[in-house]
Amino acid sequence: NSLRYYSRALELDKSDLAGWVGQVQMLVLLGEFSEAELWSRKALEFFKSHGDLMAGRAQALSRIGDRSRAMELADAALRQEGSSAYRWMVRGELLISARDGVDQHCFDKAVLAEPDWLVPLEIALCYLHYSQPSNALLRARKAVEKAPESFYAWLVQGECEQSLGFVKGAKTSYERCLELSPRH
């Protein structure tokens, strides 16, 4: 649904930067990495050197497997004016995929840049993508602490717990998810 709304927003106004960034992020979350790379490239034609769009393209390239170009773009995104949690998250994700062990620093910077509950939840999703459920669980728990009313935070926490074989914890998280969103 979010992708549809971002697409409609861009149909109405091609100068809507948030619409471009949101569309790229949704495509990545849906596993449409080539599409995300294509749309981020198109967006960068309108918004030259915009840090979040560069980060979106870097994330898409990383998930496609082009780590060297992804790293260049992520570094360039951090050099652009302003700062955002998304830029730091993408940099952290690249460090996860490189198995450098310094991803925590970038993710902590992301949380400082934007203390919203979605940031640790998106970090958890990055860790899950790279099959690191124990690191993901730590971040998912932070999201649940910040937003106990979010069914999605409980769902991701349950997925982490299930991946780790914590059956009782996963069951509790999924039950809470269904209490908050019965038709999920």
Side-chain angles (χ1 to χ4, degrees):
N1 286 335
S2 296
L3 181 59
R4 271 189 234 123
Y5 289 128
Y6 285 122
S7 295
R8 285 184 194 152
L10 291 174
E11 285 175 17
L12 297 173
D13 183 6
K14 295 267 189 244
S15 68
D16 182 4
L17 175 62
W20 286 103
V21 173
Q23 179 168 293
V24 170
Q25 289 176 315
M26 292 306 104
L27 287 165
V28 168
L29 287 172
L30 291 169
E32 299 290 338
F33 310 130
S34 295
E35 284 290 309
E37 195 278 329
L38 171 74
W39 285 101
S40 61
R41 224 176 335 112
K42 285 184 179 191
L44 283 164
E45 292 173 11
F46 292 104
F47 303 97
K48 304 253 186 266
S49 301
H50 188 275
D52 286 353
L53 290 170
M54 293 171 88
R57 185 163 182 226
Q59 188 175 33
L61 286 169
S62 173
R63 292 195 180 190
I64 290 169
D66 190 346
R67 283 201 19 79
S68 62
R69 279 198 317 168
M71 193 63 84
E72 289 173 17
L73 272 167
D75 289 343
L78 288 172
R79 287 192 301 269
Q80 300 308 309
E81 185 177 318
S83 181
S84 75
Y86 185 52
R87 296 177 201 183
W88 285 108
M89 278 190 291
V90 170
R91 184 70 166 106
E93 177 176 333
L94 288 166
L95 294 173
I96 292 171
S97 68
R99 308 256 185 237
D100 282 353
V102 290
D103 47 271
Q104 294 285 345
H105 171 73
C106 292
F107 290 143
D108 291 343
K109 290 268 213 182
V111 171
L112 286 174
E114 199 172 313
D116 187 76
W117 66 273
L118 279 171
V119 173
L121 192 68
E122 289 175 5
I123 294 168
L125 292 172
C126 287
Y127 278 124
L128 283 175
H129 179 78
Y130 292 96
S131 302
Q132 294 187 19
S134 58
N135 288 332
L137 181 57
L138 296 172
R139 298 297 180 153
R141 284 182 176 157
K142 290 200 183 297
V144 166
E145 286 172 18
K146 288 183 176 190
E149 73 290 346
S150 168
F151 74 89
Y152 190 56
W154 286 99
L155 175 69
V156 172
Q157 179 173 287
E159 289 172 354
C160 296
E161 292 164 333
Q162 184 175 357
S163 292
L164 291 166
F166 302 158
V167 177
K168 187 176 178 180
K171 184 176 184 251
T172 301
S173 293
Y174 290 144
E175 286 172 348
R176 183 67 181 133
C177 173
L178 288 172
E179 286 172 14
L180 295 167
S181 180
R183 296 188 305 183
H184 191 282

